[in-house]
Amino acid sequence: MPRALKNANNLPCTYESAPKGWMNSTLLKNILDKFNSEMHRAGRNIVLFLDQAGSHTPLKSCKWSNIELQFLPANTTSKLQPLDAGIIRA
C-alpha cells in the first residue's frame, strides 16, 4: 500500500501492485482477466495495443473472448509514442 493511498479506503478503481513496484505478466494477466469480464458484461469487443515490454510478451499466447492483443513492432516505441521519444533521448 503506497503512502499516497494510506488513508484511501474506497478508491473508484481497482488497485493492485507487485512486490517491487514493477508491472509483471501475472499482474497484467489478472488485470486483463477482470477487464475482459467487464467488456463481456458490456457486450463490447476491443483491441488493445501493447509494446514489446518484458511483462507484455508472455501474454502473446493468451486468449480472451472480448479482448484482442496486438503487439507493436520491436524497437519502435520511440517512433510511435512521441512523448517517449523525448524521455528516451534524455
Side-chain angles (χ1 to χ4, degrees):
M1 189 65 154
R3 281 183 277 172
L5 300 176
K6 80 175 181 183
N7 293 323
N9 295 324
N10 297 318
L11 294 174
C13 61
T14 302
Y15 176 82
E16 294 187 38
S17 64
K20 293 186 178 183
W22 291 89
M23 176 61 73
N24 61 45
S25 57
T26 303
L27 185 59
L28 183 57
K29 185 177 182 316
N30 291 341
I31 291 168
L32 290 177
D33 286 341
K34 290 176 187 174
F35 190 51
N36 185 63
S37 296
E38 291 176 27
M39 292 298 101
H40 183 72
R41 278 193 302 275
R44 298 183 69 183
N45 293 309
I46 65 161
V47 175
L48 183 62
F49 292 95
L50 299 171
D51 61 9
Q52 299 285 336
S55 60
H56 300 165
T57 53
L59 300 177
K60 285 185 176 184
S61 62
C62 295
K63 301 287 184 221
W64 287 273
S65 59
N66 294 71
I67 298 174
E68 179 182 339
L69 299 182
Q70 289 292 318
F71 288 86
L72 299 173
N75 302 317
T76 58
T77 302
S78 64
K79 293 170 182 61
L80 299 173
Q81 297 176 353
L83 177 63
D84 286 349
I87 295 168
I88 292 169
R89 192 176 322 117

